[in-house]
Amino acid sequence: MRYNARGMIRKACPVTGKTFTVSGKEMALRKKLGVEGEPEWHPVARWQLLGAFWQHWALHKRKCGRTGKQIISVFSEDCPYPVWHKDEWVKHADPPSAEPDLAQPLFPQMWELFRRCPIAHNIGAGNENCEYTDDWWYSKNCYLCHSGAKCEDLRYCYRVAGVRNSQYAVFSFDSERCLDIINCHACFRVIHSYNSWNCSECSFLYDCRNCNHCMFCSNLRNKSYCFGNRQLTKEEYEHSVTDWNLRSQRVYERAKGAFRTMLREQAWHRALFIDRSEQALGNYLDEGKDCENCFFLSGGNQDCINLFRTHITRDSLDCVSPYRSELSYLCALAQDSCYATAYCYHLIQCKFMEYCAHCFQCEHCFGCCGLAGKKHHIFNKPYAPEAYEQKKEELIAAMKRSGEYGRFFPGHFAANPYEESIASFYWPLSTEEGERRGFRMEERKAERESDALDASQVPDRCDQADESLARMVFWDSEAKRPFQIRKDDIAFAQDLGVPLPSTYYARRMQENFRLIPFTGELRGTSCGKCGTTAQTSWPQEYDGRILCESCYLKEVY
């Protein structure tokens, strides 16, 4: 341990080998949360372990472990936990219990108990005709979608809210009839655009506001009929776009290449996306106050450190995806009004919980899994309040002796394999490295169906397709997954004038989401205008086009 010139503690991470700093503010928050000592791992290593417990991108056909009925779940048949349809789980959650042996390490005993405890097949509520979704809320007629709320008639979307009749939208909000939009807001009939607000009838935009009938444009405000940032008349614009018939998959791919060239060589990039925030450090922060090293925070967060993907959270440290939570430490998915939770994963509306998993509306529990509506339980066994507190202190003392207390669960506790987690998306591991790190890796690969056609046989133009296409199965050789083109897909493509889907849906979602730069760290660069030092998430290929906040505002307004 060393101190730098600013009085921060400098440490070396045994997992990543990187040096990291611990601020006085972080140490104060650890004390407030009752966390002893100093962190041992780099924040990215902490997020990687926590993120391994957040299932992503995959839906599986399997049977409900209680009823035997066919269900669609985020957990495959290889899941080490019993998986029940969530409605059955909530009604009949009565998992087995155990008596802990304080003379032996507790993690192996928890694992022996947890893997006998049924868990819900997915997350979500208030949906209509949204069977093929996960982490999906209060929506209607959505298919193969993940992490969204209040949406309607969507297919193949991820992390969206208030979006209607769209496909392949990621990290986007309050938009309609759009395709391949990334971090876009209040858009209508917009195609393959990124970081744009209040735009309509546009395609291949970057960082535009209040624009309509524009193509291949960046950093524009309040413009119409622009092509490549050149102002044209209506007639000139309509003539220019005829060279780009986006109904063709070949033309669409060529346009995507031109768009990425525009991002590297023409567009100006804001170094950090921090809005309506006070004393906030990190990136993609909106309405944050006194937040440090936080990414993708929205809705009003305060006094948080080392948080990734959260909404309306306070006084929390080292968490992945807390939602409306307070006083959370080292948790993955402590959601929907959780309070005072530590070393937990997959909690909903829980309070005063430690070392618990897959619990709903529980309070004062330790070492529990699969409970709903319970209080004062240890290893799923009920205790009187006074006996609970005494027993909990005995367990904590035992875990301190074994060196387990203060550490998160080992990676093999995750219900999903590492490859199907958000951690794998940002920090992929080989099978050998993942197993060495203690993660459960994917056990089987999808086999090509004998009658599956090669994806190259998808018609190039959407107007070449008819409903007979919906009866065919295609194979994505890169994703190694089959896919189909639905009748709704054909109608959508023909209405919007775009190509038919031609890949496995998750691969295209991931391709879009990967445009949003995030590694878990910021790096130093120089402003492309004034040369001052700036922090950013953008990769080095954008250097020279990245602007400090002052120069960015001068350039675009």
Side-chain angles (χ1 to χ4, degrees):
M1 179 182 71
R2 294 181 295 172
Y3 290 85
N4 66 14
R6 294 180 293 168
M8 291 186 173
I9 302 170
R10 293 187 61 193
K11 304 195 72 171
C13 174
V15 176
T16 65
K18 295 181 178 180
T19 299
F20 66 99
T21 59
V22 184
S23 68
K25 185 176 180 179
E26 180 173 346
M27 292 303 298
L29 184 53
R30 291 175 70 87
K31 182 177 181 181
K32 182 174 183 177
L33 295 171
V35 180
E36 299 176 357
E38 300 163 357
E40 297 181 6
W41 289 7
H42 191 286
V44 168
R46 300 173 223 172
W47 285 336
Q48 184 177 18
L49 176 57
L50 294 170
F53 287 72
W54 189 5
Q55 69 279 348
H56 262 64
W57 319 119
L59 292 169
H60 303 274
K61 290 183 178 180
R62 59 163 298 148
K63 290 183 178 180
C64 169
R66 177 175 172 81
T67 66
K69 293 181 179 178
Q70 194 77 16
I71 59 174
I72 305 300
S73 174
V74 291
F75 305 120
S76 73
E77 291 283 2
D78 296 324
C79 178
Y81 297 75
V83 176
W84 295 4
H85 190 282
K86 65 174 176 287
D87 293 342
E88 295 291 331
W89 178 77
V90 170
K91 287 188 293 185
H92 304 289
D94 187 22
S97 61
E99 181 65 34
D101 181 354
L102 302 186
Q104 300 296 323
L106 271 295
F107 278 149
Q109 297 180 64
M110 289 183 193
W111 178 235
E112 181 63 30
L113 171 63
F114 282 21
R115 63 183 181 178
R116 295 188 289 128
C117 299
I119 62 175
H121 80 293
N122 70 5
I123 302 172
N127 297 314
E128 180 182 341
N129 190 28
C130 296
E131 181 183 10
Y132 288 77
T133 61
D134 176 53
D135 192 17
W136 205 249
W137 306 83
Y138 310 106
S139 298
K140 182 179 179 180
N141 299 331
C142 298
Y143 177 70
L144 293 181
C145 293
H146 305 257
S147 296
K150 299 180 180 179
C151 295
E152 189 170 337
D153 298 318
L154 294 193
R155 292 171 298 285
Y156 327 124
C157 293
Y158 171 69
R159 207 191 177 207
V160 292
V163 178
R164 297 165 56 92
N165 200 1
S166 297
Q167 292 189 4
Y168 300 105
V170 299
F171 205 70
S172 293
F173 309 90
D174 302 316
S175 298
E176 186 171 356
R177 302 198 75 76
C178 294
L179 174 73
D180 287 324
I181 56 173
I182 303 111
N183 194 25
C184 288
H185 302 243
C187 289
F188 177 74
R189 294 185 72 92
V190 168
I191 299 169
H192 203 92
S193 297
Y194 179 19
N195 281 352
S196 294
W197 272 252
N198 299 299
C199 294
S200 62
E201 304 287 353
C202 293
S203 53
F204 297 95
L205 299 187
Y206 172 72
D207 187 36
C208 292
R209 306 286 186 273
N210 305 310
C211 294
N212 63 80
H213 298 92
C214 294
M215 188 174 188
F216 293 126
C217 293
S218 60
N219 309 122
L220 296 187
R221 301 295 185 265
N222 308 306
K223 296 292 185 179
S224 301
Y225 300 111
C226 290
F227 187 95
N229 279 32
R230 292 182 294 113
Q231 181 65 64
L232 304 177
T233 65
K234 181 176 182 292
E235 292 74 19
E236 289 171 333
Y237 175 80
E238 291 175 347
H239 177 73
S240 294
V241 300
T242 57
D243 292 334
W244 296 88
N245 185 352
L246 299 181
R247 290 179 176 84
S248 163
Q249 183 66 43
R250 286 192 292 269
V251 174
Y252 196 82
E253 290 300 317
R254 183 159 56 92
K256 285 167 61 176
F259 179 72
R260 281 156 177 73
T261 299
M262 181 186 78
L263 291 182
R264 292 191 302 270
E265 300 178 3
Q266 174 185 312
W268 293 108
H269 302 283
R270 189 181 179 193
L272 295 174
F273 293 83
I274 301 177
D275 297 294
R276 298 182 293 182
S277 298
E278 180 181 342
Q279 297 297 314
L281 300 174
N283 206 359
Y284 301 100
L285 308 180
D286 187 26
E287 295 185 275
K289 182 179 180 183
D290 295 318
C291 294
E292 181 179 290
N293 195 44
C294 292
F295 295 81
F296 300 104
L297 270 61
S298 64
N301 300 271
Q302 187 170 339
D303 298 312
C304 295
I305 299 176
N306 302 336
L307 262 59
F308 167 50
R309 291 278 298 274
T310 186
H311 186 73
I312 316 178
T313 293
R314 297 172 60 99
D315 293 305
S316 295
L317 171 67
D318 293 342
C319 291
V320 167
S321 193
Y323 175 73
R324 293 183 181 273
S325 295
E326 187 171 349
L327 297 175
S328 290
Y329 171 65
L330 211 60
C331 288
L333 292 99
Q335 297 189 313
D336 200 8
S337 303
C338 284
Y339 182 86
T341 59
Y343 322 110
C344 296
Y345 59 97
H346 284 278
L347 302 184
I348 298 176
Q349 298 175 12
C350 291
K351 300 178 181 178
F352 306 106
M353 310 280 282
E354 290 189 59
Y355 288 104
C356 292
H358 298 283
C359 291
F360 173 58
Q361 292 183 341
C362 294
E363 298 181 19
H364 298 284
C365 295
F366 191 104
C368 294
C369 179
L371 297 181
K374 303 296 185 181
K375 295 183 181 180
H376 299 105
H377 278 55
I378 292 176
F379 276 49
N380 289 355
K381 182 179 178 180
Y383 288 79
E386 296 80 7
Y388 168 82
E389 293 297 336
Q390 180 179 346
K391 186 72 171 180
K392 184 184 77 170
E393 292 306 315
E394 292 174 0
L395 262 73
I396 291 174
M399 293 183 74
K400 287 183 177 178
R401 289 194 298 270
S402 66
E404 295 168 302
Y405 192 74
R407 298 181 180 275
F408 193 70
F409 292 98
H412 66 265
F413 275 70
N416 51 277
Y418 185 82
E419 291 92 336
E420 293 182 6
S421 72
I422 190 67
S424 179
F425 179 74
Y426 289 114
W427 307 289
L429 297 174
S430 67
T431 299
E432 294 75 16
E433 177 63 13
E435 290 175 347
R436 188 186 69 79
R437 297 267 294 271
F439 296 114
R440 186 169 62 87
M441 307 303 285
E442 196 170 44
E443 296 182 23
R444 66 181 75 180
K445 302 292 183 181
E447 296 182 3
R448 181 165 183 166
E449 299 181 22
S450 59
D451 59 345
L453 302 172
D454 191 83
S456 63
Q457 297 187 52
V458 174
D460 178 63
R461 291 168 55 106
C462 66
D463 51 11
Q464 297 170 336
D466 57 37
E467 291 187 356
S468 66
L469 196 66
R471 296 192 293 270
M472 301 177 183
V473 177
F474 296 92
W475 180 257
D476 183 332
S477 58
E478 184 172 334
K480 295 181 172 56
R481 291 288 191 276
F483 69 95
Q484 288 184 279
I485 300 170
R486 294 157 55 94
K487 293 179 182 179
D488 292 342
D489 298 333
I490 298 171
F492 178 85
Q494 291 176 346
D495 173 72
L496 200 58
V498 294
L500 298 164
S502 59
T503 65
Y504 178 62
Y505 84 103
R507 179 159 76 91
R508 186 162 169 181
M509 285 195 314
Q510 291 173 353
E511 180 184 285
N512 287 343
F513 198 61
R514 211 174 289 280
L515 277 178
I516 303 174
F518 173 75
T519 63
E521 300 179 85
L522 298 177
R523 69 175 184 91
T525 188
S526 298
C527 173
K529 286 286 187 178
C530 69
T532 59
T533 300
Q535 293 287 301
T536 190
S537 295
W538 292 107
Q540 290 184 346
E541 64 180 303
Y542 294 102
D543 280 354
R545 308 300 302 179
I546 300 168
L547 301 182
C548 68
E549 190 71 6
S550 177
C551 289
Y552 170 80
L553 292 175
K554 291 176 184 176
E555 185 66 31
V556 302
Y557 288 104

